[in-house]
Amino acid sequence: MIQPTIGFIVYGVHKNGLKDPMGVPFIDDAIVKGSKAALAQAGLKVVEHAVVVATKEEARSAMKEMKSNEKIDMIVLFSGTWVWAAHLVGAIREYAASGKAVLLWTHPGSQGWRPVGGFVMHGGLLEIGVPHRFVYGEAEDSATVAKIVSYARAAHLKSLLNMSTLGTFGGRGMGQTCGVADPSQWMRMFGVDIDSRDTTELIGAAAEVSPKEISDLQPRLQKLFGTAPEKNVVNERSIRLYIALRKIVEREKFDFYTIQSFPGLGDDYSATCFAQSMMLEDGYGTSTLGDFNTALTVWLLTRLSKEPVYYGDLQHVDKKRKEIKIIGDGACPPSLASKLGPAGFSEHGIPTEGEAGGLSVRLICKVGEGVLARVGRINGEFQMVITRGSIFEPPQEQVEARLSECGIPFWPHGFVTVHCDIEKMLDSWTNEYACLGYGSDLYPALVDFCELTGIKPVLP
C-alpha cells in the first residue's frame, strides 16, 4: 500500500493574528489544525510549510521548498482567508511545471472569508491554465477528505511511475495487436523506460537455481496451498522459473514487467503460469503475452490495493445479470482463494499454447468489492475503462457446473457482478484481459490518475 506525501500550505493576506472588525482572527487556527489532522488520519504524510503565504516572495520560497522535496507528491493550498491571486499564481505555475500535483482546499464558513480566497485562486489558476483539483468542503466531511486522499494517491502513482523501468522478456505473445507499446510515447506520457531481455536468459538462470533454493520455498508453498506440488521435472521447472524470474527482475531493478510466455518459453522450457502467480502474490506488477497495457493496469491496482491483483481472460459476459467470468490461463495469486477451498496446484493443460507444460494455480476468487479496469489505446491515444464490481462465489451446489462451462475447469475463476452500463463497457473494452483489484477506494484514485496523466477515463 502506498502512502502519499503532501505539502500543506496555508495562504491569505490577513495573517499573523490579524482580527476582523468583530475582534475574531481572520485565519481560524483550529480549522487549519483540524484540517491537517484529518488528512494525516486518512493516511497521508503531511509536510507543513511554516509561513502563511501572502506575498510573491513568500510564494516563491514555499514553492521552491516543496519542489525540491522529492518525497512530496502534491501540494495542498489551504485558503486561510482572502488573498491577492497575482502574488501566488506565478510561483504555483512554476511548481506545477515539474509535473507535481496541485490541490486547492477551501473549508466552508462565512467568518474568515475563506471561500473568497479559494475561488479567486481557483479562477486564477483556471485563467492561466494550471492543472489543479479544487475541493470545497469541511475536514469533518468524509467525502471531502476522500476527494483529497484520492487525488494524492493518484499523484503518488504518477510520481512513482516517473523514471521507472518496465522490463519486457521476449516479444509479442499470441499475435496480440492490442497490447503493444510505443516506447517513446511511454516515456513522453509517463516517464517510463522500456527495457527488453530475451527469454533465453530466464532459461539459463532457471537452470542455475540450486536445490536449496527450491527446498527453501517449500514452507511458503505449504502455507499458500496447504501442500507441496508433486515432484517431477515439469513442476520443478515451474518453480525454477519463478525463482529465476524474481532474481532477474530484482537484479535489473525492473519496477514492473511483461513476459511473452508463448510462443517460445512455454514451448522450450515451461509455461509461466506458476511463476506469474507467485510474482503477483509477491506484489509485482506484471502481465503475460508482452501486453504492456495490462502490465500498467496491474501495476496501478497493485500499488493501490491491500490485496494482490488478478488478471485473466474476460471469458464470458452474461449481459442480463451483468455477470462477468474472468478465467486466467493458470495464473492467479493463491491468497485470493475463496472460502470454497484453498488454492490448489493444477497444470497448464493446453499443448498448443505451451507444449512444455507447467504448474498452474486452481482457485475461485474470494468475495469482495473492487474494480475491473484496463488501460488500452485507440488510434494511439490511451484510455482506461474502469467499473466497480462485486466479486462473488457461486453456491456450493453450482460450483462444479460453473467451472465446467468453459471446458477448462482447472484454471482460476473470478465471478464478478459489474455496476455499470454493460453495453457501454463491452463497446469500450480493448483487450481479452480484465484486471481485477480489490478495494472500493481504487475507483476514484484510478479516475484521478487518468486526469493527472492525460489518459481518457471511460466510466461506463
Side-chain angles (χ1 to χ4, degrees), residues 9-16 27 49-55 58 80:
I9 303 170
V10 182
Y11 66 85
V13 294
H14 297 312
K15 58 179 184 171
N16 300 328
I27 296 180
H49 183 67
V51 177
V52 176
V53 172
T55 67
E58 290 168 343

Side-chain angles (χ1 to χ4, degrees), residues 413-429:
H413 283 57
F415 297 91
V416 184
T417 301
V418 290
H419 310 303
C420 66
D421 181 332
I422 194 72
E423 292 287 359
K424 184 176 179 182
M425 176 191 164
L426 295 176
D427 186 57
S428 304
W429 209 261

Side-chain angles (χ1 to χ4, degrees), residues 390-402:
S390 300
I391 306 95
F392 69 93
E393 300 168 7
Q396 183 69 54
E397 64 274 13
Q398 297 179 14
V399 169
E400 185 175 349
R402 294 305 311 268

Side-chain angles (χ1 to χ4, degrees), residues 10 19 59 114 124 133 184 287 314 327 348 363 382 397 453:
V10 182
K19 298 179 180 179
R114 289 182 300 275
R133 169 65 56 86
S184 298
S287 71
L314 206 162
I327 307 177
H348 181 248
L363 60 78
F382 282 103
E397 64 274 13
T453 55

Side-chain angles (χ1 to χ4, degrees), residues 440-453:
S440 57
D441 57 341
L442 275 60
Y443 185 92
L446 290 174
V447 175
D448 289 345
F449 176 80
C450 289
E451 178 182 328
L452 285 169
T453 55

